[in-house]
Amino acid sequence: MKVLVAVKQVAVLGDEVEFTEDEREVDPDYLDFALNEWDSYATEEALRLVEAAGSGEVVVVTVGDEDAEDCMRRCLAMGADRGIRVEAVRTLDPIQVARALAEVVQSESPDLVFAGVQSSDSVQAATGGALAGLLDMPSVAVVTKIELGEGKATVNRELEGGLVDVVEVDTPAVITIQTGINEPRYATLRAIKQAEEKEIEVRQPGDLGPQAQRVRRMFVPPKGEGAEMLDGGAAEVAHRIQEIVQEKLA
Amino acid sequence: MSILIVAEHRRGKVRPITLEMVSAAKELGDETVVAVIAKDPATLADQVDVEGVREIVCVKVDPEGFENDVVREALEQLISDREPDVVLVGFSIDSMGFGPALAAKLGLGFASDVFALRRDGDDLVAERSFYGSKVNAELDFPNSERVLLMIRPTAWPPAEGEGAAISAELDVTISGSRARHVDFHEVAASEDVDITGADFLLSVGRGVGEKENLGQFEGLADKMGATLSVSRPLVDQGWMPSSRQVGQSGKTVKPKVYLALGISGAVQHLAGMKTSGTIIAINTDPEAAIFNVAHYGAVADLFEVAEELEKLY
Ligand SMILES: Cc1cc2nc3c(=O)[nH]c(=O)nc-3n(C[C@H](O)[C@H](O)[C@H](O)COP(=O)(O)OP(=O)(O)OC[C@H]3O[C@@H](n4cnc5c(N)ncnc54)[C@H](O)[C@@H]3O)c2cc1C
Ligand SMILES: Nc1ncnc2c1ncn2[C@@H]1O[C@H](COP(=O)(O)O)[C@@H](O)[C@H]1O
């Protein structure tokens, strides 16, 4: 049982922002980085499936620069066996990322490929699907439960309003994992230390193809009418909330 | 520009995003074709015949429910038959199953969660956000002759007005379906409260930090005469039942007052509450996206505000 998990180091913007000179990106000085929330659930699900199978391997793959290895170390500390990083800039579009991932999937021939439903910094919700399209693999998006069978899996696809669509999918397949599917384990300090010893192989990408989208400019959204801000300390804010609630419920 | 819209439907009903996409298409051109890919498309075609639609193409396929391989293959043949400049699909769970796959396979220009569109000369410009909805970006597609866009639900009003679309059919060949619909599971009806009926929701998000802190807010909601609701992470972690969840995959609510404590304002959360009568948001982050939809906001610590509210009620 071999599961390949695509994991992304996502950027988190604080309460201040500046843009690069050409206004096409956020100045990286204003960004913090973390493992994408969805990808920790995907890694956990892969670990559980391999543990249940009794043997196998969880391989985590990221497309990015050297800093992006931090997110893979987190997954290795959770128990993933090894990592592969495809050298690339942080700001590829999802289809380009999928092209880079596709080469790795082809060379690794896993039984299942997992991606997160979406990355919290770009919310494309597209990379896993694009990967399936490039490789012409079966796929299911937004999955909250997986039961493995012979050459197929029965999965729950979570629809709007929480309705569940039970789907039978042929495997190998690409599955995008939704939060809440499991409870991701914490890495112990010992595991974090051990993860430093695990292998991360660096590969050069092949042809990433043309950009599927180009950023013309980035900007802070105009506030519009926006909220009327309540000033003062907590006591004053609470007092105003009481007044507003009273008035609106009347 | 010629536009092909893929109608979305579930269990015999066209979903609202479909008519919203007709409105979105009006920003770009007047050659709008709506494709209904279904087992029995003729029964759905009426629901999409609104002003602005030139043609409705019925595409008959076998499966009763949505299956991503089937829609992807049908759409691929529709595209080669109609050669549209722009393909619009919803930014929805179904479309996530075939939209990005087809865009990648055919090498189309692509963007998802698009909430504004315009033409700039011959160029198509789409707007979406990045970085927790704190930054917006204008995108264009200089490398692509054809573009597939996934449209954010509720970004446009549904198109209305009587239509006079001509109707057509397209025969497609489907080679197989590798992800097959088996069954629907209803969300278990819970004995817990119905948050959709409440006039006043006190809604807490991940800002509460720990499960142990939740009790305090249950108490506060009680005192204030509010019903407690939550954002998704609290349900994911098993702290609260899903019947209390507001948002795209939870409940859509429209109370008179929605008081949001420690909720960032992710698009899927806003989808479930942004039409509330009065939205009050408390967040320590002055740039949190929730302030863009709130009527009143305070940059403050939710625990401090909660403590003061305790004293008042
Ligand atoms: C297909 C799909 C469906 C989804 N459906 C839903 C849905 O139905 N409902 C939903 O909610 N989400 C849904 N999500 C998840 C959504 O994308 C977000 O991850 C989620 O809404 C974030 O919840 P949050 O705002 O509570 O947490 P966060 O985004 O982590 O925000 C926490 C906020 O609390 C603030 N904060 C922290 N400490 C304090 C303090 N002491 N005082 C005041 N403020 C504080 C922070 O500044 C931050 O803004 C869905 C996602 C997908 C992909
Ligand atoms: N640079 C990347 N490297 C590896 N996986 C990625 C990368 N970007 C996105 N992914 C995967 O695709 C999922 C969805 O991301 P997105 O399509 O950007 O919303 C993530 O949860 C990851 O599993």
Side-chain angles (χ1 to χ4, degrees):
Chain A
M1 179 79 206
K2 178 166 167 181
V3 187
L4 187 143
V5 188
V7 297
K8 182 181 181 188
Q9 170 110 322
V10 290
V12 183
L13 188 56
D15 55 14
E16 261 184 291
V17 57
E18 291 288 338
F19 295 95
T20 53
E21 197 99 359
D22 64 5
E23 293 186 15
R24 289 178 194 261
E25 248 306 329
V26 167
D27 179 341
D29 285 351
Y30 291 79
L31 298 172
D32 286 328
F33 294 93
L35 172 64
N36 184 32
E37 186 182 356
W38 279 263
D39 302 347
S40 66
Y41 286 93
T43 302
E44 175 66 37
E45 196 61 19
L47 291 169
R48 288 184 189 202
L49 290 180
V50 169
E51 281 159 9
S55 70
E57 196 184 22
V58 175
V59 183
V60 287
V61 185
T62 197
V63 179
D65 56 21
E66 201 176 339
D67 291 342
E69 289 186 9
D70 290 350
C71 76
M72 255 186 323
R73 292 280 169 212
R74 274 279 309 276
C75 303
L76 294 172
M78 284 172 73
D81 297 279
R82 61 190 167 92
I84 298 170
R85 177 171 68 83
V86 182
E87 179 70 49
V89 295
R90 189 178 64 80
T91 48
L92 296 179
D93 68 56
I95 294 181
Q96 291 179 307
V97 172
R99 285 200 192 96
L101 290 171
E103 291 181 5
V104 179
V105 173
Q106 269 168 327
S107 73
E108 292 284 331
S109 306
D111 299 296
L112 285 172
V113 179
F114 287 170
V117 169
Q118 67 181 31
S119 56
S120 60
D121 55 350
S122 45
V123 188
Q124 300 277 1
T127 307
L131 178 61
L134 293 172
L135 295 172
D136 195 23
M137 284 174 75
S139 66
V140 186
V142 194
V143 165
T144 51
K145 185 181 172 193
I146 300 175
E147 261 170 45
L148 283 184
E150 264 315 303
K152 62 183 187 188
T154 305
V155 304
N156 284 1
R157 188 170 71 101
E158 180 196 79
L159 305 178
E160 287 84 359
L163 181 68
V164 168
D165 181 21
V166 183
V167 176
E168 184 186 87
V169 59
D170 298 341
T171 54
V174 179
I175 291 176
T176 74
I177 303 289
Q178 173 67 312
T179 56
I181 187 173
N182 54 40
E183 244 181 81
R185 66 195 68 181
Y186 288 103
T188 60
L189 275 176
R190 207 178 118 95
I192 292 170
K193 268 219 108 47
Q194 282 169 344
E196 283 166 20
E197 308 299 311
K198 289 186 182 171
E199 178 200 344
I200 293 182
E201 179 197 343
V202 181
R203 298 189 185 177
Q204 294 304 316
D207 182 11
L208 296 179
Q211 278 184 300
Q213 56 184 234
R214 180 182 71 170
V215 175
R216 274 198 175 186
R217 69 181 184 107
M218 277 195 185
F219 53 98
V220 174
K223 283 285 171 269
E225 307 217 333
E228 178 187 332
M229 296 312 270
L230 310 175
D231 298 324
E236 214 172 314
V237 169
H239 186 71
R240 283 286 286 132
I241 291 174
Q242 186 184 35
E243 280 176 3
I244 297 163
V245 169
Q246 246 162 22
E247 181 199 322
K248 302 294 174 185
L249 289 183
Chain B
M1 277 183 188
S2 58
I3 296 140
L4 175 68
I5 294 174
V6 181
E8 243 193 65
H9 56 90
R10 184 167 295 150
R11 301 170 122 180
K13 274 180 79 175
V14 168
R15 304 192 63 238
I17 179 68
T18 310
L19 298 186
E20 295 164 18
M21 289 191 283
V22 174
S23 296
K26 288 180 186 163
E27 321 255 11
L28 300 176
D30 44 19
E31 292 286 304
T32 300
V33 175
V34 177
V36 184
I37 305 168
K39 187 177 173 73
D40 199 358
T43 58
L44 298 165
D46 271 0
Q47 296 175 44
V48 299
D49 190 7
V50 291
E51 203 195 311
V53 179
R54 192 177 56 89
E55 185 185 351
I56 299 168
V57 188
C58 289
V59 184
K60 225 171 130 40
V61 292
D62 278 338
E64 193 83 49
F66 169 84
E67 297 191 359
N68 59 13
D69 275 343
V70 174
V71 177
R72 186 177 41 76
E73 256 192 273
L75 179 56
E76 188 172 346
Q77 289 164 58
L78 264 162
I79 290 173
S80 63
D81 186 70
R82 298 294 156 132
E83 304 188 321
D85 298 313
V86 183
V87 180
L88 299 184
V89 304
F91 186 55
S92 63
I93 308 296
D94 281 359
S95 298
M96 286 173 195
F98 67 86
L102 195 57
K105 183 179 174 204
L106 301 180
L108 310 180
F110 175 82
S112 62
D113 196 24
V114 170
F115 56 78
L117 284 169
R118 66 184 168 87
R119 286 178 71 160
D120 180 11
D122 283 341
D123 290 348
L124 165 65
V125 179
E127 204 172 314
R128 73 185 310 279
S129 36
F130 286 91
Y131 303 114
S133 307
K134 289 180 173 180
V135 168
N136 286 1
E138 282 188 343
L139 306 178
D140 58 15
F141 310 90
N143 301 316
S144 322
E145 297 207 334
R146 180 170 294 138
V147 178
L148 185 143
L149 303 176
M150 303 183 75
I151 300 295
R152 176 185 290 187
T154 73
W156 278 270
E160 30 186 71
E162 207 170 310
I166 51 174
S167 58
E169 283 176 25
L170 183 75
D171 286 330
V172 295
T173 335
I174 305 297
S175 56
S177 179
R178 300 165 299 176
R180 298 163 295 272
H181 167 74
V182 178
D183 202 3
F184 285 120
H185 282 181
E186 297 293 340
V187 199
S190 97
E191 295 98 79
D192 207 33
V193 289
D194 176 15
I195 59 170
T196 63
D199 274 345
F200 179 16
L201 287 175
L202 176 76
S203 207
V204 295
R206 182 143 51 192
V208 296
E210 285 168 36
K211 183 179 185 184
E212 287 61 44
N213 298 337
L214 266 180
Q216 177 189 353
F217 294 92
E218 282 172 316
L220 179 61
D222 250 8
K223 276 189 172 176
M224 295 179 79
T227 303
L228 189 71
S229 59
V230 297
S231 68
R232 177 169 181 131
L234 279 62
V235 176
D236 282 339
Q237 294 174 89
W239 298 355
M240 274 300 214
S242 60
S243 54
R244 300 261 179 173
Q245 181 188 321
V246 172
Q248 186 200 85
S249 53
K251 298 279 198 298
T252 301
V253 299
K254 203 181 169 179
K256 287 184 181 152
V257 179
Y258 189 86
L259 174 55
L261 305 179
I263 294 176
S264 61
V267 53
Q268 294 100 351
H269 187 82
L270 301 186
M273 47 63 73
K274 70 177 178 190
T275 59
S276 300
T278 300
I279 298 167
I280 312 173
I282 308 294
N283 200 304
T284 41
D285 177 359
E287 296 302 323
I290 189 88
F291 290 129
N292 297 339
V293 302
H295 303 95
Y296 299 92
V299 179
D301 181 283
L302 66 92
F303 297 104
E304 289 176 17
V305 173
E307 212 168 285
E308 294 297 331
L309 283 169
E310 297 270 359
K311 292 183 198 160
L312 293 176
Y313 283 89

